[in-house]
């Protein structure tokens, strides 16, 4: 299990980070949700973001593919700065896959069509090629036999694995996970986490908002703890769990590990 | 198999099964429904035989004159026999009436083909365009030895079908654009859509028809003469698209935010998101009110009579105006009521079929897109 965390290609010196946030601030109306966020994620690194609800962790990763707009500071993803320029936003979105808490599969399309839609229409891939690619990823998330079904016919865990396959079909350089297991029944959490661990082992750059501390310990290079819109603490997994620095982190950990 | 181990389930109680069970559940469940059932039966028994006698057994059929009808007790279907060509084709030259007939058969044929979802492919659009080309080619004529027939001579059911088919075909796409416009982030586009929708919805169709017929020509440059049929058609399209736009907007609002976000996160641009993800789902949820609007439109075409277009309704009134047959207006109205009903009932049934397909999840996105 722990083999994955020793392999850290991103620690190579001198390489520019694939995601960089510099002094990012964001408000919802008068309420500040992100305060002076600075973050640099290297190619192939796995970041886990945790923190109490309302701490801004979902907002943070949603800023990275511009589902949310930041109002101050800079966000650079894969060498492209996110501004109001639609071309650049769509470029970034092509390279960044996202998995949502509520799966957000397209209910009117089959599993296979969910996976092939973006490759065909955005990447301009031939249909047969896209289907081959989709089946490859559906096999990887272990549900190729469901390809012809509609999302409504699948369990939550299966739907979330389809959502992961759908994002992977765009061959993204980065994968964002926004509480991917929070809406799942307990018995389905493992099947989704297993897929995510495998993905991490394959060297994918990942940002994961989650409360699954077991997963964080297994795959995270870095763990961020956020509270009230700030990154309170950032450290490697070992340090984070054994020697948390701030009191807020300690309080959070004692609550979450207790349950 | 695991299911074999399950305890056998017992059948439901006898009294709820079979024809007797159905009767008991639906017609004689308690005292009140028993009374209502008996009353309804009594009504049917007293009303049905006279109706059958009037409409069928005592009725006058075939090619006979009004004098025969005057002596009979039943309906005078001879009136329909005498006037059906006026009702179906208006004042289209009598010897050329095979042209609108073939045209209507072509249009209805294309409609029938379109009902089968297996044929919902891009080429179906081309089939419709070809169908309309054949239809209008036949009506206008002026080639292949067919004489040219002005649109003011078009009429009857032919005209009603033109107004409703073209009305539906054009106003539906226009309404989608309007609905998207009303939800646009661009202030000018949004304002234009809102103003259009609110202005048109605030005005009765009758006044729109008048304006299109009498005011619109004032705005055209001198010498440009848009014909009366086209002006009425434009009024119907303007009116229907405003209503449909609000229905489509309702459907758009029913789509969860997550669907937009998932589509955005995959890198789909605005038009792709709408075409492939949002609209197919949105339109499916509003099939019943959309078809409701189509049915309204079909019947509202009868209002074009006020700008002197001879649609199915006005053609029938002209048929009744014949002094020889004036007494048989009921037969005339029953005849066109059946025609209106046939089209509307078909639309209603087809909408139910589409809804059922949607529920089982087999209605495919590419079919709608």
């Amino acid at each position: 299990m722990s083999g994955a965390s020793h392999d850290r290609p991103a620690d190579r010196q001198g390489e520019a980070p694939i995601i960089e946030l510099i002094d990012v601030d964001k408000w919802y109306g008068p309420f500040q949700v992100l305060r002076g966020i600075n973050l640099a994620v290297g190619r192939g690194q796995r970041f886990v973001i945790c923190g109490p609800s309302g701490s801004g962790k979902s907002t943070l990763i949603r800023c990275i593919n511009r589902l949310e707009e930041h109002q101050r500071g800079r966000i650079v993803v894969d060498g492209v700065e996110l501004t109001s320029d639609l071309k650049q936003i769509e470029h970034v979105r092509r390279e960044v896959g996202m998995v949502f808490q509520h799966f957000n599969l397209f209910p009117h399309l089959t599993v296979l069509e969910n996976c092939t839609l973006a490759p065909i229409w955005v990447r301009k891939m031939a249909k047969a090629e896209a289907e081959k690619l989709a089946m490859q990823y559906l096999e990887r998330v272990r549900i190729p036999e469901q390809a012809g079904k509609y999302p409504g016919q699948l369990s939550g865990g299966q739907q979330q694995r389809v959502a992961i396959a759908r994002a992977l079909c765009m061959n993204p350089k980065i994968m964002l996970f926004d509480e991917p297991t929070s809406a799942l029944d307990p018995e389905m959490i493992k099947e989704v986490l297993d897929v995510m661990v495998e993905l991490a082992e394959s060297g994918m750059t990942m940002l994961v908002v989650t409360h699954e501390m077991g997963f964080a310990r297994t795959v995270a290079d870095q763990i961020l703890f956020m509270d009230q819109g700030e990154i309170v603490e950032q450290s490697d997994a070992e340090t984070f769990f054994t020697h948390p620095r701030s009191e807020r982190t300690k309080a959070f950990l004692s609550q979450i590990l207790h349950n | 198999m695991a299911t074999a181990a399950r305890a056998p389930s017992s059948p439901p109680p006898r009294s709820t099964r079979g024809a007797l069970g159905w009767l008991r559940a639906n017609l004689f469940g308690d005292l009140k429904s028993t009374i209502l059932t008996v009353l309804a039966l009594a009504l049917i028994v007293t009303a049905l035989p006279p109706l059958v006698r009037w409409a069928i057994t005592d009725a006058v059929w075939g090619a006979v004159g009004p004098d025969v009808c005057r002596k009979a007790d039943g309906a005078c279907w001879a009136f329909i026999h005498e006037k059906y060509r006026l009702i179906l084709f208006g004042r289209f030259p009598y010897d050329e009436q095979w042209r609108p007939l073939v045209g209507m058969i072509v249009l209805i044929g294309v409609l029938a083909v379109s009902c089968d979802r297996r044929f919902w492919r891009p080429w179906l659009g081309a089939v419709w365009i070809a169908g309309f080309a054949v239809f209008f080619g036949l009506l206008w004529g002026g080639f292949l030895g067919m004489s040219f027939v002005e649109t003011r001579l078009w009429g009857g059911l032919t005209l009603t079908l033109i107004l409703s088919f073209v009305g539906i075909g054009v106003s539906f796409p226009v309404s989608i654009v309007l609905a998207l416009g009303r939800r646009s982030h661009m202030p000018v586009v949004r304002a234009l859509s809102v103003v259009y929708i609110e202005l048109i919805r605030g005005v009765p169709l009758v006044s729109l028809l008048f304006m299109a017929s009498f005011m619109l020509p004032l705005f055209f440059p001198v010498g440009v003469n848009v014909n009366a049929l086209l002006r009425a058609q434009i009024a119907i399209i303007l009116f229907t698209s405003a209503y449909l736009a609000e229905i489509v907007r309702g459907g758009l609002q029913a789509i969860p935010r997550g669907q937009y976000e998932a589509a955005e996160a995959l890198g789909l641009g605005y038009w792709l998101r709408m075409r492939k993800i949002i609209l197919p789902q949105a339109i499916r949820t509003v099939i019943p009110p959309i078809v409701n609007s189509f049915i309204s439109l079909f019947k509202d075409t009868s209002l074009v009579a006020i700008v002197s277009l001879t649609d199915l309704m006005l053609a029938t009134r002209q048929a009744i105006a014949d002094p020889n047959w004036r007494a048989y207006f009921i037969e005339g109205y029953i005849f066109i009521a059946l025609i209106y009903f046939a089209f509307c009932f078909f639309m209603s049934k087809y909408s139910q079929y589409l809804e059922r397909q949607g529920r089982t999840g087999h209605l495919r996105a590419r079919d709608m897109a």
Side-chain angles (χ1 to χ4, degrees), chain B residues 193-208:
Chain B
S193 306
V194 170
V195 167
Y196 174 88
I197 291 169
E198 296 303 336
L199 271 184
I200 299 286
R201 278 203 311 172
V203 176
L205 177 55
V206 175
S207 57
L208 269 183

Side-chain angles (χ1 to χ4, degrees), chain A residues 150, chain B residues 112-121 123-124 284 287 350 353-358 360-368:
Chain A
Y150 287 87
Chain B
V113 169
S114 312
C115 286
D116 192 326
R117 287 198 354 266
R118 279 174 306 172
F119 301 135
W120 289 9
R121 295 281 175 272
W123 53 258
L124 191 59
R284 187 165 321 162
I287 287 174
Y350 189 65
Y353 161 79
L354 281 185
E355 271 181 81
R356 272 197 308 277
Q357 297 291 314
T360 47
H362 295 298
L363 200 65
R364 313 284 291 269
R366 65 160 172 274
D367 297 341
M368 311 281 296

Side-chain angles (χ1 to χ4, degrees), chain B residues 146-267:
Chain B
M146 292 188 291
S147 58
F148 175 74
V149 179
E150 284 180 81
T151 58
R152 65 181 178 82
L153 294 177
W154 302 4
L157 179 62
T158 322
L159 193 83
T160 295
L161 287 193
I162 293 173
L163 290 170
S164 47
F165 274 57
V166 175
I168 288 171
V170 177
S171 61
F172 189 41
V174 170
S175 74
I176 290 173
V177 172
L178 283 170
L180 292 176
R182 191 160 186 173
R183 284 169 62 82
S184 168
H185 294 298
M186 289 178 275
V188 177
V189 174
R190 191 170 56 231
L192 282 176
S193 306
V194 170
V195 167
Y196 174 88
I197 291 169
E198 296 303 336
L199 271 184
I200 299 286
R201 278 203 311 172
V203 176
L205 177 55
V206 175
S207 57
L208 269 183
L209 283 169
F210 271 125
M211 282 196 274
S213 298
F214 304 118
M215 277 174 60
L216 216 53
L218 301 180
F219 298 110
F220 286 127
V222 183
V224 175
N225 189 17
V226 177
N227 84 47
L229 173 57
L230 183 58
R231 283 179 304 204
Q233 182 75 75
I234 288 172
I236 286 175
I237 289 168
L238 291 178
F239 183 78
T240 309
S241 53
Y243 275 88
L244 283 177
E246 285 299 277
I247 296 172
V248 173
R249 185 168 70 101
L252 291 173
Q253 275 166 350
I255 305 301
R257 234 188 111 59
Q259 292 290 307
Y260 290 88
E261 290 180 349
E264 282 177 49
L266 284 168

Side-chain angles (χ1 to χ4, degrees), chain A residues 62 65 67 90 93-94 96 98 100 104-110 113 117-118 121-122 150 166-167 170, chain B residues 257-259 261-269 272-273 275-277 280-281 284 361-366:
Chain A
R62 288 160 60 89
N65 65 352
L67 288 185
E90 280 170 14
R93 284 175 177 165
R94 282 196 292 275
V96 179
M98 187 165 206
F100 299 87
N104 296 352
L105 292 178
F106 306 130
H108 59 301
L109 301 179
T110 63
E113 288 166 338
L117 182 90
W121 291 94
V122 180
Y150 287 87
R166 176 177 73 177
M170 284 292 283
Chain B
R257 234 188 111 59
Q259 292 290 307
E261 290 180 349
E264 282 177 49
L266 284 168
L268 274 68
L272 268 178
R273 291 203 293 276
R275 190 154 72 94
K276 292 288 165 189
I277 308 299
Q281 298 185 60
R284 187 165 321 162
H362 295 298
L363 200 65
R364 313 284 291 269
R366 65 160 172 274

